[in-house]
């Protein structure tokens, strides 16, 4: 008889929450559950990042770790993929996830946005919000009615689905979050009040809260919302700031970070040391602080759901996060250490069940692949355009667009495009001649004039890597827009061939088979589909990992499920393949690679994840930043920062204009003379961050790329836990910012590295030119 892990898990004793109505309130000192003090030990788990068949296992693991609640983002775009059409089945069945959590003895902290981030595509914002004219873009996360009206409709739909699952109605939902870290983005209190009212009108009567890093809690602060803090270190100092805005009531950390997420081409983030990780946790346990581990289990951003940091740095597919539970649900070393601590801090009447059995993992070996067709086989429709337009304007949310035009023999020069998001694979008569690259806007392939009399076909196949999920860059359209030029001559009269790809991939298998049945068309180096069959001998297939180390860049589907993106540069080299998506016998494997394999045309199913191997030499546009020249300009200000980790605001007294601004660290508090910046923001006349500026890094004296993720872009990505770290130990250090608009700035805000006393700047100078 077959005995699955589900049957084994069912034998374990669990505490099921009573399905009768209860009360949950914010008291003078504590949260009160039915009038009794209650401390939340929460762990963040996203149902959208886990196969539905594994929800129960992950929730049981969370409960056995010692958590009594699950925090859960609801990604708006995962549910409303077309305007007014909502998806609530499969991995999108949020109500069933909540009911399952309740069955496993877990309360639910609901986080419906409308903005989420979580390194998710667009931070949760639906693509169809950007169908409007790009010259008058929507202002997201603001009182712009083009955002507020659909966001309100979304929140009302959430209420229709989940308001009946509040604790007051016998369900598990204790609290509902309004927006997410809005203080990092804006300060519009009318917007925050409008969203709060939308949640109330949706039928939610449990306590509502907002969460922010404490240093920006004042931005958009409204006293009607309970205030929770997000941080990764020093809870005593962080909650000291919270008490300035919320003198009474319990303390709550809505996001406590065990590590960090990864991005393509940058070093893997390893888990913190036990001292760094558990020191703050012990403090919060001892002071009866409610907190949530972000993440307890990260899972996988399957399909097209990965986002990008701002400026453009795309996130990897794995959301492992070095969390206590790995990407495939196994216990990492921090799991048992957290459980042991939680067992000493239970609320009255609580118990913790035993850990459920692991889901088996297996290496299934090598599968031969064969080129079947070019991506041209997946074209759904064609549009005639005078100038290229972004795919959203053309009615497509995900996938590729091939922009095509015939070139006369005399047409030639350097190819440039006004706006290209994100990668444009350039083909001339089927031969790849270069890649237009959003990371390196200065790369311009040359097209030579032809001695032949016949016209040539120019194709620019544009791939969107996921929309920016933070800061002002969320208005991130994909595809190509504006003028396309050869030297100074504009090319007009284009055909856009639309290649939509479902972000979940449910229909891709049939389309791939259709392509495979046709003759393998196109040039050998055209973006192509490769097909193979994985034979699984097991009646109950095990989890496995698909090693794509010897391929280049693309997407993989198994049995129609979109596993996500791969890219040889790393650090992620494997894609997680859940056993529940496999079957005994033959399993269809489809690979889309924009360049093809770099070795044998085969893939390898291995027994463990590889998430920390960089292969930067395989990057098709490997560009090294200039690290030698310091230019500077006019010295605008200088001073000395204190040694702590609090943000420092410097105002100049008058406005300064320029395109280039340089921050120079003359000395640091670091004994090794290293320098770091966690966040750097330009300020307007009133001391507010100028989030709308298009800021780029144009130079640094050095940056750490290999031993850890310390690249310069981390200083302007809106993420306080990431940082620029110098690799050189020679002072002074410097970082140069370029702003194309030549704005008038009145100051800056410098935030030091948060978790360690490494590289904090002491004496500094600031230049403009």
């Amino acid at each position: 008889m077959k005995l699955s892990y589900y049957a084994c898990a069912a034998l374990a004793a669990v505490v099921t929450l009573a399905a009768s109505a209860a009360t949950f309130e914010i008291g003078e000192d504590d949260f009160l559950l039915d009038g009794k003090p209650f401390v939340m030990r929460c762990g963040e788990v996203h149902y959208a990042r886990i196969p539905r068949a594994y929800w129960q296992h992950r929730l049981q693991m969370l409960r056995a770790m010692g958590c009594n609640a699950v925090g859960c983002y609801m990604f708006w775009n995962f549910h409303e993929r077309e305007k007014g059409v909502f998806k609530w089945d499969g991995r999108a069945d949020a109500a069933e996830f909540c009911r399952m959590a309740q069955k496993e003895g877990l309360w639910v902290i609901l986080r419906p946005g409308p903005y989420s981030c979580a390194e998710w595509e667009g931070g949760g914002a639906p693509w169809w919000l950007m169908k409007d004219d790009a010259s008058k873009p929507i202002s997201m996360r603001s009182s712009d009615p083009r955002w507020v009206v659909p966001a309100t409709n979304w929140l009302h739909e959430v209420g229709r689905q989940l308001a009946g699952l509040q604790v007051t109605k016998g369900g598990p939902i204790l609290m509902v979050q309004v927006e997410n870290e809005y203080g990092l983005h804006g300060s519009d209190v009318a917007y925050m009040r409008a969203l709060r009212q939308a949640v109330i009108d949706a039928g939610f009567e449990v306590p509502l809260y907002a969460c922010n890093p404490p240093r920006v809690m004042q931005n958009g602060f409204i006293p009607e919302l309970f205030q929770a803090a997000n941080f990764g270190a020093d809870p005593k100092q962080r909650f000291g700031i919270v008490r300035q805005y919320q003198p009474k009531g319990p303390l709550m950390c809505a996001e406590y970070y065990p590590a960090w997420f990864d991005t393509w081409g940058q070093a893997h983030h390893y888990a913190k040391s036990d001292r760094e990780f558990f020191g703050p946790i012990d403090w919060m346990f001892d002071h009866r602080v409610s907190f949530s581990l972000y993440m307890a289990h990260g899972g996988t951003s399957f399909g097209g759901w990965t986002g990008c940091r701002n400026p453009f740095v795309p996130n990897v597919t794995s959301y492992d996060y070095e969390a206590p539970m790995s990407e495939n649900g196994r216990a990492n070393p921090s799991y048992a250490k957290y459980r042991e601590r939680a067992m000493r801090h239970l609320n009255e009447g609580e118990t913790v069940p035993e850990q459920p059995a692991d889901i088996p993992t297996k290496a299934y070996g090598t599968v031969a692949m064969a080129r079947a067709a070019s991506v041209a086989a997946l074209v759904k429709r064609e549009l005639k355009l005078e100038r290229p337009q972004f795919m959203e304007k053309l009615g497509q949310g995900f996938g590729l667009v091939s922009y095509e035009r015939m070139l006369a023999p005399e047409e030639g020069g350097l190819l440039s495009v006004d706006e290209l998001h994100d990668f444009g694979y350039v083909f001339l008569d089927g031969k790849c001649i270069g890649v237009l690259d959003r990371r390196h806007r200065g790369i311009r392939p040359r097209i030579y004039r032809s001695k032949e009399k016949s016209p040539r076909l120019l194709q620019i196949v544009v791939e969107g890597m996921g929309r920016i999920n933070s800061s002002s860059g969320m208005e991130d359209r994909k595809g190509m827009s504006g003028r396309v030029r050869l030297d100074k001559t504009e090319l007009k009269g284009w055909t856009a061939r639309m290649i939509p790809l479902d972000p979940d991939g449910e229909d891709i298998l049939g389309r791939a088979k259709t392509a495979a049945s046709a003759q393998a068309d196109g040039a050998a180096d055209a973006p192509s589909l490769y097909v193979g069959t994985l034979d699984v001998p097991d009646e109950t297939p095990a989890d496995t990992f698909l090693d794509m180390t010897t391929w280049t860049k693309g997407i993989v589907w198994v049995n129609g499920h979109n596993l996500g993106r791969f890219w040889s540069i790393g650090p992620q080299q494997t894609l997680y393949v859940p056993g529940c998506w496999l079957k005994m016998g033959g399993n269809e494997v489809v690979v889309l690679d924009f360049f093809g394999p770099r070795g044998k045309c085969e893939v390898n199913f291995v027994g463990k994840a590889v998430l920390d191997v960089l292969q930067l030499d395989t990057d098709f546009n490997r560009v090294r930043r200039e690290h030698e020249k310091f230019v500077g300009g006019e010295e605008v200000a200088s001073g000395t920062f204190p040694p702590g980790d609090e943000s420092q605001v410097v105002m100049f007294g008058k406005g300064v204009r320029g395109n280039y601004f340089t921050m120079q660290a003359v000395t640091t508090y670091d004994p090794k003379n290293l320098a770091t910046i966690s966040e750097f923001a330009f300020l307007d006349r009133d001391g507010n961050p100028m989030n709308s500026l298009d800021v780029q890094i144009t130079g640094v004296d050095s940056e750490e790329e290999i031993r850890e993720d310390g690249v310069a872009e981390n200083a302007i990505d809106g993420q306080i836990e990431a940082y620029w770290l110098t690799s050189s130990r020679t002072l002074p250090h410097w970082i140069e910012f370029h702003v194309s608009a030549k704005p008038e700035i009145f100051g800056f805000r410098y935030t030091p590295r948060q978790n360690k006393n490494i590289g904090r700047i002491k004496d500094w100078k600031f230049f403009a030119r």
Side-chain angles (χ1 to χ4, degrees):
M1 183 182 78
K2 178 174 67 174
L3 185 64
S4 71
Y5 85 93
Y6 300 109
C8 296
L11 300 177
V14 297
V15 177
T16 301
L17 304 180
S20 57
T23 62
F24 184 76
E25 301 169 304
I26 300 172
E28 286 283 318
D29 301 303
D30 297 287
F31 291 111
L32 301 174
L33 181 61
D34 275 342
K36 296 180 179 180
F38 181 80
V39 177
M40 285 177 281
R41 303 182 307 280
C42 188
E44 188 83 7
V45 176
H46 300 153
Y47 56 83
R49 285 181 158 129
I50 307 168
R52 178 168 172 154
Y54 288 172
W55 284 357
Q56 183 184 31
H57 177 263
R58 305 301 195 258
L59 292 169
Q60 289 176 345
M61 285 287 291
L62 185 68
R63 184 77 178 87
M65 193 173 79
C67 290
N68 59 14
V70 56
C72 184
Y73 273 130
M74 300 181 68
F75 302 119
W76 179 8
N77 56 7
F78 191 65
H79 294 278
E80 192 176 0
R81 303 181 185 196
E82 297 288 341
K83 185 176 181 180
V85 180
F86 295 95
K87 177 179 175 61
W88 295 107
D89 60 356
R91 289 205 333 268
D93 192 345
E96 179 57 26
F97 182 82
C98 291
R99 286 189 289 265
M100 195 175 292
Q102 183 174 22
K103 181 180 178 182
E104 299 302 331
L106 292 164
W107 300 101
V108 173
I109 309 302
L110 199 65
R111 311 178 75 189
Y115 170 72
S116 298
C117 189
E119 294 65 60
W120 188 263
E121 148 80 18
W127 70 270
W128 45 262
L129 291 171
M130 291 177 284
K131 285 185 176 181
D132 61 343
D133 186 350
S135 65
K136 299 178 181 179
I138 180 175
S139 178
M140 297 190 184
R141 305 182 71 193
S142 78
S143 293
D144 185 336
R146 294 174 295 174
W147 170 265
V148 171
V149 172
T152 298
N153 292 339
W154 154 245
L155 293 171
H156 288 176
E157 175 66 16
V158 172
R160 284 188 284 271
Q161 296 293 325
L162 298 178
L165 291 174
Q166 296 175 88
V167 63
T168 52
K169 301 180 185 300
I173 299 174
L174 293 182
M175 300 181 76
V176 178
Q177 181 177 306
V178 179
E179 243 274 3
N180 184 65
E181 295 188 327
Y182 179 66
L184 289 170
H185 179 80
S187 57
D188 186 349
V189 295
Y191 166 65
M192 288 299 294
R193 285 197 165 101
L195 288 189
R196 172 183 175 271
Q197 190 59 49
V199 174
I200 293 171
D201 292 344
F204 288 103
E205 56 193 24
V206 294
L208 308 183
Y209 74 100
C211 72
N212 279 294
R215 65 185 174 86
V216 295
M217 192 167 281
Q218 74 276 12
N219 297 334
F221 171 82
I222 58 173
E224 303 97 300
L225 292 174
F226 178 81
Q227 301 296 313
N230 293 355
F231 54 77
D234 199 353
K236 182 178 180 180
Q237 186 269 341
R238 304 300 192 269
F239 285 124
I241 299 174
V242 172
R243 283 303 187 209
Q244 298 174 23
Y245 302 94
Q246 194 164 266
K248 295 183 178 181
L251 294 172
M252 176 178 171
C253 174
E255 292 186 4
Y256 174 74
Y257 309 110
W260 206 236
F261 59 90
D262 287 344
T263 50
W264 291 115
Q266 299 178 357
H268 174 68
H269 292 86
Y270 292 99
K272 297 176 181 177
S273 68
D274 283 357
R275 180 184 61 81
E276 293 171 316
F277 185 11
F278 288 108
I281 286 176
D282 290 337
W283 189 96
M284 290 189 284
F285 271 141
D286 291 343
H287 290 80
R288 293 183 54 79
V289 172
S290 293
F291 66 95
S292 181
L293 290 179
Y294 190 98
M295 300 290 295
H297 169 59
T300 310
S301 300
F302 293 113
W305 295 113
T306 53
C308 288
R309 279 177 16 194
N310 187 30
F312 175 72
V313 183
N315 302 317
V316 302
T317 297
S318 172
Y319 205 59
D320 179 87
Y321 221 92
E322 289 281 347
M325 285 182 273
S326 68
E327 182 178 14
N328 60 324
R330 296 290 182 97
N332 281 326
S334 59
Y335 181 96
K337 295 172 183 177
Y338 181 93
R339 173 186 164 93
E340 186 272 330
R341 286 167 166 82
M343 294 281 282
R344 302 198 304 265
H345 295 87
L346 302 180
N347 294 307
E348 181 182 349
E350 285 184 337
T351 59
V352 176
E354 292 301 312
Q355 180 181 334
D358 288 333
I359 296 173
T361 302
K362 186 173 183 178
Y364 283 109
T366 301
V367 172
M369 304 294 290
R371 183 173 182 268
S374 78
V375 292
L378 300 181
V379 171
K380 282 289 187 75
R381 58 194 175 97
E382 296 184 358
L383 299 167
K384 300 296 183 181
L385 306 169
E386 183 69 2
R387 285 177 171 171
Q389 297 178 2
F390 287 126
M391 69 167 68
E392 293 85 357
K393 185 73 173 178
L394 303 179
Q396 181 174 305
F398 301 89
L400 315 172
V401 181
S402 181
Y403 299 91
E404 302 178 4
R405 182 190 186 275
M406 299 304 297
L407 290 181
E410 65 273 14
E411 291 181 305
L414 289 174
L415 178 66
S416 64
V417 181
D418 281 353
E419 294 287 341
L420 187 141
H421 300 173
D422 298 310
F423 296 94
Y425 305 96
V426 184
F427 297 87
L428 190 63
D429 282 342
K431 181 180 180 180
C432 185
I433 61 170
V435 182
L436 295 166
D437 190 331
R438 189 174 178 182
R439 298 172 302 165
H440 311 298
R441 298 180 183 179
I443 293 178
R444 301 170 64 188
R446 177 174 290 279
I447 295 176
Y448 292 95
R449 293 169 178 83
S450 175
K451 297 179 180 179
E452 304 295 330
K453 295 183 179 180
S454 58
R456 299 160 293 165
L457 175 62
L458 172 64
Q459 297 169 293
I460 307 176
V461 180
V462 181
E463 173 201 14
M465 280 286 287
R467 294 174 177 87
I468 288 173
N469 46 245
S470 61
S471 192
S472 59
M474 284 176 59
E475 295 85 3
D476 184 22
R477 292 163 173 81
K478 297 302 180 183
M480 211 162 74
S481 180
R483 296 167 299 176
V484 181
R485 287 174 287 187
L486 288 175
D487 290 339
K488 296 182 179 181
T489 303
E490 182 178 358
L491 304 179
K492 294 184 178 181
W494 292 82
T495 298
R497 305 182 75 198
M498 312 302 293
I499 308 173
L501 298 176
D502 188 302
D504 291 329
E506 304 307 328
D507 67 343
I508 194 65
L509 182 58
R511 293 169 64 190
K513 284 183 176 179
T514 300
S517 66
Q519 183 178 358
D521 59 343
D525 55 355
S528 297
L529 295 164
Y530 300 80
V531 179
T533 301
L534 168 65
D535 184 56
V536 173
D538 309 314
E539 187 176 356
T540 302
D543 286 354
T544 187
F545 294 89
L546 182 56
D547 187 350
M548 299 300 293
T549 304
T550 60
W551 292 70
T552 308
K553 187 176 189 295
I555 305 168
V556 178
W557 295 262
V558 171
N559 291 336
H561 296 279
N562 190 330
L563 300 183
R565 300 181 176 99
F566 66 90
W567 194 354
S568 60
I569 63 174
Q572 179 179 358
Q573 299 294 342
T574 57
L575 291 170
Y576 173 47
V577 185
C580 60
W581 287 357
L582 299 174
K583 60 185 179 180
M584 186 177 184
N587 295 265
E588 293 289 343
V589 181
V590 180
V591 175
L592 165 60
D593 196 308
F594 292 99
F595 297 91
R598 291 177 292 107
K600 292 182 179 180
C601 193
E602 62 185 24
V603 295
N604 190 18
F605 289 85
V606 297
K608 66 176 184 178
V610 180
L611 303 176
D612 60 352
V613 175
L614 288 171
Q615 298 185 126
L616 299 181
D617 58 329
T618 68
D619 194 338
F620 45 78
N621 281 335
R622 177 71 166 142
V623 176
R624 296 185 180 273
R625 201 196 317 269
E626 178 64 65
H627 289 166
E628 287 82 24
K629 297 178 181 178
F630 172 79
V631 178
E634 177 187 356
E635 183 177 326
V636 175
S638 62
T640 301
F641 292 132
D645 67 356
E646 295 185 18
S647 297
Q648 303 297 315
V649 172
V650 174
M651 300 300 291
F652 302 144
K654 64 177 182 179
V656 176
R657 290 191 182 275
N659 290 121
Y660 294 89
F661 302 92
T662 303
M663 180 69 181
Q664 185 184 61
V666 180
T667 64
T668 71
Y669 291 99
D670 191 304
K672 296 181 179 179
N673 293 333
L674 297 171
T676 64
I677 295 178
S678 175
E679 281 301 307
F680 194 91
F682 297 108
L683 305 179
D684 64 16
R685 186 187 305 271
D686 299 320
N688 297 315
M690 302 172 71
N691 291 325
S692 62
L693 295 180
D694 180 16
V695 182
Q696 303 289 326
I697 304 294
T698 48
V700 289
D701 72 292
S702 65
E703 57 191 331
E704 181 56 64
E705 297 182 87
I706 304 300
R707 287 173 293 184
E708 59 181 300
D709 177 12
V711 298
E713 279 75 13
N714 291 347
I716 55 173
D717 70 351
Q719 303 282 358
I720 193 172
E721 296 294 321
Y723 46 83
W724 164 54
L725 170 64
T726 60
S727 56
S728 167
R729 299 183 181 185
T730 302
L731 290 166
H733 298 296
W734 55 272
I735 181 170
E736 182 183 80
F737 309 92
H738 175 257
V739 186
S740 58
K742 202 169 186 178
E744 185 175 24
I745 68 170
F746 290 81
F748 64 82
R749 183 180 67 206
Y750 153 73
T751 303
R753 183 172 176 175
Q754 297 296 290
N755 296 329
K756 292 183 179 179
N757 297 322
I758 294 176
R760 290 178 180 165
I761 297 172
K762 185 179 181 182
D763 299 308
W764 57 270
K765 293 180 180 180
F766 186 80
F767 302 87
R769 73 177 193 276

